[in-house]
Amino acid sequence: MFRRSLEHLFVRFRRTADIAALSEVFDRTAAELLKVALHMAADPADAEDLVQKTFLSAIESADSFDAGKRLVPWLLGIL
């Protein structure tokens, strides 16, 4: 099975509002983002909130994502 890159999926979401593409991005990146967020927040619930806020911000600023760059560092920058 061919696995699309995170960047491809996020750009597809940005262009077509494809919720399935965004959902896959979340599924594939949330654990990594949560690990970082746990180092930033004292409470695990706060860390989970940070990850959710990161995705909300990413959705709101999707047009600012440079498709020629990697998605995870961009998300970590938002986090």
Side-chain angles (χ1 to χ4, degrees):
M1 180 176 155
F2 179 72
R3 189 172 181 183
R4 301 267 184 208
S5 73
L6 293 170
E7 295 75 22
H8 172 86
L9 291 166
F10 192 76
V11 169
R12 186 166 77 197
F13 160 73
R14 180 174 69 188
R15 288 185 182 150
T16 66
D18 183 345
I19 299 303
L22 182 63
S23 177
E24 186 172 342
V25 168
F26 181 84
D27 289 347
R28 290 173 50 188
T29 61
E32 183 176 354
L33 293 173
L34 183 59
K35 285 179 187 177
V36 175
L38 285 167
H39 288 284
M40 299 170 67
D43 185 301
D46 290 339
E48 290 176 7
D49 287 345
L50 285 173
V51 172
Q52 290 177 9
K53 289 176 184 178
T54 297
F55 273 91
L56 287 174
S57 188
I59 290 165
E60 292 169 351
S61 60
D63 288 341
S64 71
F65 173 65
D66 179 350
K69 297 194 176 175
R70 306 268 325 233
L71 182 65
V72 171
W74 184 72
L75 292 172
L76 288 169
I78 294 171
L79 177 68

